[in-house]
Amino acid sequence: MAFKITRRNWLRSSAMIAAGSVIPIQSWANGITIPKGTSPTGEIEPDLNSFNDFENPNQLRIRLNANENPYGPSDNAKMALRQAIDTSFRYPFTETKELKSMIAEKYGLTPEHVALGGGSTEILTMAGMAFGLQNGSVISAFPTFRTLLDTARRFDCEWIQVPLDENYKHDLAAIKDAVQPNTRLVYICNPNNPTGTLLTPDDLQNFCIETAARVPVFIDEAYTEFLDDPQKNSVIPLIHNGVDIIVAKTFSKIYGMAGLRVGYALGSPERIKLLEKYGVSLSIITKTSVEAAKACLGDSGFENFCRNKNKEARDLTYRVIKEAGYSMYIPSYTSFVMFPINMEGKSFLTKMEKRGVGVRAWQFNDRYWCRVSIGTLEDMKGFGEILKEIS
Ligand SMILES: Cc1ncc(COP(=O)(O)O)c(C=O)c1O
């Protein structure tokens, strides 16, 4: 099982290395060889368990490692949750059907165009299985959100990684070039996690139309609602035109329901049927979660509130990064910010965690990077203080 890189990018990277502008962290023969200690996703594994140290819940004072929205769930969702408790001895057969219909209606589609999942993680896993089992290859940018690709790889599918361009955006031309007869799926995360970069709507739509004529394209829209104009940046209208795309959305981000686990996919009825073969959605989504999702879907007041709060705290994050002495960050269109750090990734994570702050770290191009989630203003001030202290 090899990780491959495209010829075009190999040539470009080789030229950059020759010019001394990039220190190779990977060497390529027939594919990328991953050096010891580096995960194939470029992500640095933390020493401490910064996610769920239940035995010591106070270990992390400031949790900025999972892109959670600190303002959710909305009041409407909380009320629905409370009301659903009394009837939660029942399976949510009717409620999941209702949620599917509501989602379909929101986008002018039919319930047959919608698959529900336990968070969009389940949707990504379903797609990773459905296409990974076809034993070819899946293509994505590098670095990007790994769930679908990791899953496909577990089912013996190759993962072809196409480096982001010099602005840390998807290199759509190179991704298109990388499509081969054995390509089963192309995965695009827009805006991209972990870099927070955004493609222009025209570029992405044209890419989908051209590429999906050859192979299905999966667009992960987990963060589009943080944009000023989510609709303009969504490719969902292409589904109406029969373009072979699957779009994943989640209630975890703008709706602040990460702990309630509801996500969904939109696509042609044929693609949705294929995904649903690999899902366990009815047994995963709870009655309470479905009711909360129904109560907040399309709540534009709450969406605007979270979008504005996120923007305010993101601007503060840029300032505290600069004040801590870091000259650069990648301008973000999401609820997290990535910036290069001046020390080895694991020791950075450990230093932050020992001071009670959870963030994430990556290694790609020639450097180590921190990805910090956007929390409250207070969270970001605390993050800034610790960042200054360890820098
Ligand atoms: C790009 C992207 N897609 C999907 C997910 C999965 O989210 P969930 O399973 O909570 O819907 C995440 C979570 O961080 C994400 O960043």
Side-chain angles (χ1 to χ4, degrees):
M1 208 186 325
F3 292 85
K4 287 198 175 162
I5 195 154
T6 62
R7 184 177 150 72
R8 179 191 148 117
N9 277 295
W10 184 84
L11 290 172
R12 195 180 65 178
S13 303
S14 303
M16 287 165 80
I17 291 160
S21 56
V22 170
I23 300 164
I25 59 164
Q26 291 141 337
S27 62
W28 299 297
N30 292 324
I32 293 179
T33 37
I34 308 297
K36 254 187 171 171
T38 315
S39 78
T41 61
E43 191 172 350
I44 312 290
E45 300 300 334
D47 267 341
L48 304 173
N49 180 2
S50 51
F51 287 97
N52 291 311
D53 187 350
F54 292 117
E55 296 201 343
N56 183 4
N58 296 321
Q59 183 196 25
L60 289 181
R61 283 183 296 119
I62 307 177
R63 291 180 182 239
L64 302 173
N65 51 13
N67 303 341
E68 294 153 344
N69 171 359
Y71 301 103
S74 70
D75 287 342
N76 288 345
K78 282 188 217 166
M79 203 193 302
L81 276 171
R82 284 187 207 104
Q83 285 173 357
I85 289 172
D86 286 345
T87 51
S88 55
F89 62 94
R90 295 208 184 279
Y91 289 107
F93 298 122
T94 317
E95 294 78 4
T96 41
K97 253 194 198 158
E98 285 167 358
L99 179 60
K100 255 194 186 188
S101 297
M102 288 172 71
I103 292 168
E105 194 178 327
K106 176 175 160 79
Y107 298 108
L109 296 164
T110 70
E112 288 69 40
H113 289 86
V114 184
L116 294 179
S120 56
T121 297
E122 193 195 3
I123 298 293
L124 295 167
T125 309
M126 287 151 75
M129 276 197 254
F131 293 95
L133 280 166
Q134 295 175 18
N135 290 119
S137 62
V138 286
I139 302 177
S140 78
F142 174 83
T144 193
F145 193 70
R146 65 205 254 185
T147 303
L148 185 155
L149 308 145
D150 267 349
T151 307
R153 200 163 61 87
R154 284 210 308 276
F155 290 95
D156 262 353
C157 187
E158 276 187 347
W159 175 4
I160 297 180
Q161 301 177 329
V162 179
L164 297 172
D165 70 12
E166 56 281 8
N167 297 313
Y168 309 101
K169 288 188 195 181
H170 283 77
D171 186 340
L172 292 179
I175 292 174
K176 223 184 311 169
D177 278 359
V179 175
Q180 298 166 9
N182 81 341
T183 304
R184 304 296 178 228
L185 186 77
V186 173
Y187 171 83
I188 304 281
C189 182
N190 188 58
N192 189 40
N193 184 1
T195 52
T197 45
L198 179 70
L199 291 160
T200 65
D202 279 354
D203 286 351
L204 182 58
Q205 277 172 32
N206 291 335
F207 171 86
C208 286
I209 293 166
E210 286 167 27
T211 309
R214 298 166 67 196
V215 58
V217 179
F218 190 107
I219 309 287
D220 189 335
E221 293 193 353
Y223 298 96
T224 42
E225 281 74 20
F226 288 102
L227 300 169
D228 289 333
D229 193 344
Q231 269 178 1
K232 193 169 149 207
N233 285 279
S234 173
V235 291
I236 292 170
L238 295 181
I239 296 172
H240 292 265
N241 304 337
V243 179
D244 190 7
I245 57 171
I246 299 166
V247 180
K249 309 282 284 185
T250 178
F251 285 84
S252 298
K253 306 302 174 181
I254 198 75
Y255 294 131
M257 285 183 25
L260 291 166
R261 316 305 302 127
V262 190
Y264 57 96
L266 303 169
S268 69
E270 295 73 29
R271 290 293 176 209
I272 293 300
K273 239 185 224 155
L274 173 69
L275 290 192
E276 285 185 335
K277 268 169 102 174
Y278 301 96
V280 282
S281 48
L282 246 195
S283 52
I284 273 194
I285 308 178
T286 64
K287 187 162 191 304
T288 41
S289 300
V290 180
E291 290 295 10
K294 280 168 51 193
C296 69
L297 181 70
D299 183 344
S300 55
F302 186 68
E303 287 177 28
N304 288 336
F305 170 76
C306 293
R307 187 179 303 121
N308 291 335
K309 285 283 186 193
N310 181 67
K311 221 185 271 176
E312 193 186 356
R314 195 171 58 200
D315 286 343
L316 173 68
T317 308
Y318 296 153
R319 287 203 295 280
V320 302
I321 290 171
K322 277 193 188 156
E323 280 164 19
Y326 294 87
S327 55
M328 186 224 161
Y329 56 82
I330 303 175
S332 168
Y333 291 86
T334 59
S335 58
F336 52 88
V337 176
M338 189 166 233
F339 61 100
I341 47 178
N342 52 13
M343 70 183 87
E344 191 273 322
K346 197 147 186 157
S347 43
F348 179 83
L349 285 182
T350 306
K351 282 182 186 197
M352 294 296 280
E353 288 178 0
K354 283 196 170 145
R355 289 163 178 80
V357 180
V359 291
R360 302 278 278 276
W362 266 259
Q363 183 187 19
F364 67 93
N365 289 4
D366 58 343
R367 14 180 38 161
Y368 289 99
W369 302 77
C370 168
R371 191 203 70 187
V372 58
S373 305
I374 304 298
T376 61
L377 288 175
E378 202 182 324
D379 287 336
M380 304 327 292
K381 280 182 201 152
F383 160 75
E385 280 161 22
I386 300 299
L387 187 63
K388 216 185 243 176
E389 192 180 310
I390 66 158
S391 298

